[in-house]
């Protein structure tokens, strides 16, 4: 993403796209500074496994946080259900 560390996804994050999603998250973790961005305004759906990959990536960062911008509505609900209080991820609606 121009001017900041992060990735942008579009479409759906599901079993069919999970390998690409996990590869993008791995690249995000490699390039992570104190804040990394994940822009999801063009994502219509993300499954629980996709949210899990995001949460695990954030938890494994040495420091800082991941800001998730404009996620589909199920992403914050899944985060709250399975990882309440995970302060490594900030959801910006």
């Amino acid at each position: 993403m121009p001017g900041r560390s992060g990735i942008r996804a579009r479409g759906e994050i599901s079993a069919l796209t999970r390998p690409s999603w996990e590869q993008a998250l791995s690249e995000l973790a490699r390039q992570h500074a104190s804040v990394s961005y994940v822009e999801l305004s063009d994502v219509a759906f993300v499954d629980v496994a996709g949210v899990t990959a995001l949460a695990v990536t954030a938890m494994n960062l040495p420091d800082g946080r991941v800001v998730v911008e404009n996620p589909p509505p199920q992403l914050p609900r899944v985060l709250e259900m399975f990882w309440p209080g995970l302060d490594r991820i900030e959801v910006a609606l």
Side-chain angles (χ1 to χ4, degrees):
M1 292 178 26
R4 59 187 182 163
S5 173
I7 58 173
R8 175 174 294 154
R10 46 184 97 142
E12 292 188 355
I13 299 169
S14 63
L16 293 175
T17 60
R18 188 160 313 109
S20 297
W21 174 241
E22 290 175 349
Q23 182 179 4
L25 290 173
S26 292
E27 184 64 27
L28 178 78
R30 277 193 294 279
Q31 297 178 3
H32 178 71
S34 61
V35 178
S36 292
Y37 295 88
V38 177
E39 212 295 311
L40 299 178
S41 61
D42 292 331
V43 173
F45 173 78
V46 57
D47 66 8
V48 173
V51 179
T52 299
L54 176 64
V56 168
T57 298
M59 289 186 291
N60 288 329
L61 295 174
D63 62 359
R65 70 186 195 282
V66 175
V67 177
V68 180
E69 298 176 323
N70 306 303
Q74 66 275 12
L75 187 140
R77 290 193 302 258
V78 171
L79 282 174
E80 185 58 33
M81 182 180 295
F82 293 105
W83 299 277
L86 176 61
D87 60 357
R88 290 287 182 104
I89 296 180
E90 176 185 329
V91 177
L93 301 175

